[in-house]
């Protein structure tokens, strides 16, 4: 499958966002993640639950199941399931066999989301969850604020979004109006480095303030010569931070004191091999009490992401017609995206080596 | 193909309902049965005719053919066909070769329907048609009345409907409101027996009248302790009777004189491997002159069947994604449905052994 | 693939109509031909250009590319292409490699259309373009006039349209009202001959004027006994002329002086293996100044062709379900169509022998 040239679309042995906390209520909600039909609900004690959504008896989808207490019952013959997926009652009698269970997926409420583990359950280590800081969610007391923007039902494979975020040179074209980028900055060669074991791609720019650029929108109060950095980092395959950092410029051109940080966090959860649940978070450490400014940021970010959705869906629609038969031209600017592709490919291969297909 | 694990979806060497008599008129009607495009019409003498609907010349669909007398002509180059399917005229001249014929399917007007034989013609024995009593159509003089309800264009394979009818425990869940069934009756173990060479599955219940149950709706006048039986029988793969029989209860709890019979006949004709023409008949031997009661029964039956349509279409939509790779849990209550599956599977295998694939 | 029984749907080493001259403007237009996504535009100097519509970098469709001068830029990362397809600029820097080029298709403005060569570029010989006379486009000075009718987005493979035009006996049925043909003319055996190396199929009829036939509509002033000829000729796989020629009848029944010619030119360009861009031209050498008569001809021709579209789309929808497993009945009247099928088949085989698959 383009672009990874593997049968599997994306690594799954990671925490992904299953949804917003409010999606986990007492009413059953249906969702598809990694092509698995799932039901989401919350127990009386407030615990979020995700179960596979097909009855073990006759494959009835459970999205119209009825909930009673913390159990759900199939709308066809009434097979009842506990919150751990175990079938506890077959209405026509008999003790449900041990194999009668829905797959229960580990879920954790963490930060502003509920996270799910779609891989082998024994690997579902909460220590692997992105830390709040990685989501831009530094504690409010230290001066950060975050706003969550729209969930796009992106009709494109997750890897296309990863490509997009690891080559920010597209900003000058796809987002020419919503996110103006001085064209000369395109020539700045991205810096690749490994930070905390993760690939970090930085586009660093210095020079006089560019009044009509996006960072002017973000930092209208900054007026002198500055050093700016666009930094993309994948914290997990389901969370990529494309941050903008701004510094005073030292007389020798190097970066001085921070003028502010803004994190544009991209949350992606594969729905199928060809579609992705796509949420955004905007986080900043300045003007954190300015609600009107927040609203402007969210509005702009939704516009920017809708432009990406247009591009990625255009590619998705046609890319399978040619498979991997058509060569791509890549240059220096694609280095980050290609490194991340290799990383994802390696993750998938490791998963395939560890887990026999049937057990996935 | 789920659930039979064979390439062929359903046995075809049987009579199936092709349609209502009024569908066979002087105007050509198009219909698909067993994935064959067909045209239906009626001759001047009143004989119903079904022919395959693709011209032998250049494959033009014949649903827009023009009828003249008892012949039909292709709308493309005017090839003309007799009611037996034989091409009798090629407008550009020449004697049509013997091989120039549309397949003509044996049809018989019988009971309230026109029946078709989709298998090898030489096996089309009218003696194999369901007898009137099997359709619930005992002659009016003996006190029976029948009403025909809606034709559903069920977007699900016929076998799912068979499964449904042979495990009536679903009544308590899928039809919780339209057809209330006391939950304790779920524990009654169905009785399987062979009657006239056919599998009969009976759920027998005795005890005080249950005022809110469906049989109370059917038999409001009955008030004492009774013995009730829900009996499912497949008369042919295209006709399943799910009857309700009611008896006085003897002092020893056994069944006494009949209080009434109601047949809920389910008529199913595969349209494709994934869809089914689905008609209902309701038949009863009491209150046969009460038209308002008939209307109520039909209305209720259409509601009940629409609930089944919802369930079966939900399963159909998703079941092929998993093929036969996913195991099912079955219990005692599924015994009838599993026996019927085996029977259908055996019928298909017998057909495959007898008829070379190419000749089907 | 029906009806040619080859993997490839249609020969491509020929000139096909890419579109009307007005479709080639300064705005980019997207079109699919032979299943290739293409962009069309016109240079400042007025030269029509067709390029493949997928960026060499990350497969972004170029139908929303921006044009600047005679270059177009990908809306994703701004890769810029010259009118010859060569990538001339990668905004992030570096010299584009030689392999970074969009396929440029040879196009020629010729007669009333822009023509494209989809086969190997070295074979794109303008001498192979249909001559104006073959399109019915004799120079106005000699008394001809042509009118172009509607472009149908025909949802059927091109070969079905070829079949249609080489067996005009369908006129009596598909066009029974719009283009009446005396039924007795159906018995006239078509004459097959080779003219200028091309197959010509002629239906010649003589006898008294038939007042309600189409040619009466075309030649209302002609009243005596005449000789009429319906002549179908494929000039290229993308252009078929179905002409009507009318002559005075000599006392011995043979044809005398011409009373007029009308060309009904059918222009077909495969869009995909299952759809075709379908344009008509009507050309005549009489009443060439009568605009109202032209309007009537165009209106009638659009109606006639819409009837063909109905027939061909009906066949297309179903024909793949049976593949080549179902035999066709053919007679003397099909000889022309069968010869043309063989010719197309031979063209494809020659192309396959000459061009390795990968290079197509």
């Amino acid at each position: 499958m383009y672009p990874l040239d593997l049968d599997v679309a994306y690594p799954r042995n990671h925490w992904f966002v299953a949804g917003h906390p409010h999606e986990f209520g007492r009413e059953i909600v249906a969702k598809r993640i990694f092509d698995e039909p799932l039901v989401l609900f919350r127990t009386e004690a407030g615990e979020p639950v995700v179960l596979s959504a097909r009855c073990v008896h006759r494959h009835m989808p459970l999205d119209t199941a009825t909930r009673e207490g913390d159990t759900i019952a199939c709308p066809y013959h009434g097979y009842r399931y506990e919150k751990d997926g175990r079938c506890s009652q077959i209405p026509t009698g008999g003790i449900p066999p041990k194999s009668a269970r829905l797959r229960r997926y580990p879920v954790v409420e963490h930060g502003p989301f509920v996270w799910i583990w779609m891989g082998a359950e024994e690997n579902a280590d909460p220590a692997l969850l992105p830390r709040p800081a990685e989501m831009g969610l530094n504690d409010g007391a230290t001066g950060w604020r975050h706003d969550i923007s729209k969930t796009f039902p992106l009709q494109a494979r997750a890897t296309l979004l990863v490509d997009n975020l690891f080559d920010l040179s597209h900003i000058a074209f796809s987002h020419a109006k919503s996110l103006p980028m001085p064209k000369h900055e395109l020539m700045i060669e991205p810096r690749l480095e490994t930070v905390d074991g993760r690939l970090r791609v930085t586009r660093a720019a210095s020079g006089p303030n560019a009044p009509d650029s996006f960072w002017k929108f973000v930092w209208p109060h900054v007026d002198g010569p500055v050093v700016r950095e666009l930094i993309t980092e994948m914290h997990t395959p389901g969370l990529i931070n494309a941050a903008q950092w701004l510094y005073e410029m030292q007389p020798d051109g190097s970066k001085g004191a921070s003028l502010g940080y803004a994190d544009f966090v991209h949350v992606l959860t594969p729905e199928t091999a060809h579609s992705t649940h796509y949420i955004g978070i905007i986080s900043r450490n300045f003007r954190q009490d300015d609600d009107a400014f927040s609203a402007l940021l969210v509005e702009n970010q939704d516009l920017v992401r809708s432009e990406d959705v247009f591009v990625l869906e255009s590619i998705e629609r046609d890319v399978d017609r040619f498979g991997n038969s058509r060569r791509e031209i890549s240059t220096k600017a694609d280095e980050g995206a290609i490194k991340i592709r290799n990383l994802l490919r390696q993750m998938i291969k490791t998963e395939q080596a560890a887990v026999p297909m049937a057990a996935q």
Side-chain angles (χ1 to χ4, degrees), chain A:
Chain A
M1 238 187 107
Y2 176 84
L4 299 187
D5 206 3
L6 296 171
D7 287 343
V8 167
Y10 213 67
R12 63 159 64 210
N13 257 348
H14 299 272
W15 291 101
F16 288 91
V17 166
H20 299 286
H22 67 77
E23 291 180 276
F24 289 77
R26 294 296 273 160
E27 295 300 310
I28 287 168
V29 162
K31 200 172 262 199
R32 195 171 286 260
I33 297 180
F34 274 91
D35 221 9
E36 283 290 318
L38 304 171
V39 285
L40 283 50
F41 66 99
R42 196 180 284 274
T43 64
E44 199 163 1
E47 181 195 359
V49 174
V50 178
L51 302 175
S52 77
R54 299 210 325 160
C55 184
V56 300
H57 176 223
R58 289 297 176 263
H59 305 314
M60 179 68 192
L62 296 175
D63 47 320
T64 57
T66 50
R67 187 195 48 71
E68 213 181 289
D70 288 348
T71 69
I72 64 172
C74 176
Y76 196 2
H77 300 90
Y79 277 48
R80 185 167 298 282
Y81 298 96
E82 301 300 304
K83 63 178 184 175
D84 65 357
R86 187 173 51 87
C87 178
S88 56
Q89 193 197 358
I90 296 177
T92 50
I95 293 162
K98 268 200 124 174
S99 59
R101 57 162 58 243
L102 303 176
R103 181 163 174 187
R104 200 278 286 263
Y105 292 88
V107 279
V108 179
E109 207 153 356
H110 170 69
F113 300 116
V114 179
W115 300 75
I116 190 168
W117 186 272
M118 298 296 293
E121 185 161 355
E122 61 270 25
N123 300 325
D125 182 357
L128 298 172
L129 282 161
R131 282 160 293 165
E134 294 174 334
M135 293 184 259
L137 306 175
N138 300 281
D139 156 353
T142 65
W144 283 78
R145 170 189 182 137
H146 75 271
D147 294 283
I148 293 180
S149 62
K150 190 177 158 177
T151 302
F152 283 96
L154 172 65
Q155 298 305 304
R157 61 198 68 180
T159 39
L160 294 183
L161 182 51
V162 176
D163 267 2
N164 176 282
L165 293 166
F166 275 88
D167 180 3
L168 293 181
S169 74
H170 78 271
I171 291 175
F173 302 94
S174 302
H175 311 302
K177 279 169 193 159
S178 58
L179 203 62
M181 185 193 215
K183 288 263 159 90
H184 70 266
E185 291 191 6
L186 283 165
M187 306 301 290
I188 298 162
E189 202 163 287
R191 187 172 74 239
L192 273 64
E193 60 200 315
T194 302
V195 179
D196 292 342
R198 291 188 302 272
L199 177 68
R200 173 181 290 186
V201 178
T202 304
R203 290 189 153 268
S206 62
N209 201 339
D212 57 356
S213 73
F214 181 66
W215 69 272
K216 178 66 190 166
F217 171 74
V218 177
W219 290 285
H221 59 291
V222 177
D223 209 35
V226 296
V227 174
R228 288 188 300 112
E229 293 178 332
L230 267 72
I231 296 175
T232 302
E233 231 178 290
M234 177 184 278
H235 291 286
T236 78
L239 189 145
I240 295 168
N241 189 349
Q244 300 211 31
W245 295 356
L246 200 67
Y247 305 91
E248 282 179 1
M249 189 189 288
Q250 304 281 63
D252 67 352
S254 67
K255 68 186 184 191
S258 165
L259 292 166
Y261 301 129
D263 288 335
F264 297 89
V265 177
H266 300 263
V267 175
L268 56 156
T269 304
E271 182 193 35
T272 68
H274 303 277
S275 60
T276 306
H277 304 286
Y278 177 26
I279 308 176
I281 314 174
I282 309 162
S283 217
R284 68 186 189 272
N285 74 343
F286 57 96
R287 294 177 72 177
Q288 61 267 35
D289 299 320
D290 188 340
D291 291 344
F293 187 60
S294 272
L296 268 173
L297 279 174
V298 166
E299 189 186 343
N300 188 265
Q301 182 71 350
D302 281 351
L303 172 60
V304 166
R305 293 197 301 130
S306 76
E307 291 164 343
D308 288 319
V309 165
F310 170 80
V311 162
L312 305 182
E313 293 186 347
S314 297
I315 295 175
E316 178 67 47
R317 246 191 306 278
D318 220 35
V319 80
D320 280 336
R321 302 180 56 241
F322 299 89
N324 292 304
S325 70
R326 189 133 164 195
R327 296 272 289 285
E328 285 182 333
I329 301 293
S330 296
T331 70
K332 203 86 184 135
D334 298 299
E335 233 178 281
I338 286 173
K339 278 221 158 115
I340 280 288
R341 284 185 185 178
N342 288 338
L343 193 65
L344 293 171
R345 196 181 283 116
Q346 199 45 58
M347 286 175 178
I348 293 172
K349 285 185 172 171
T350 304
E351 290 179 8
Q352 288 177 324
V355 184
M357 287 302 288
Q360 282 194 6

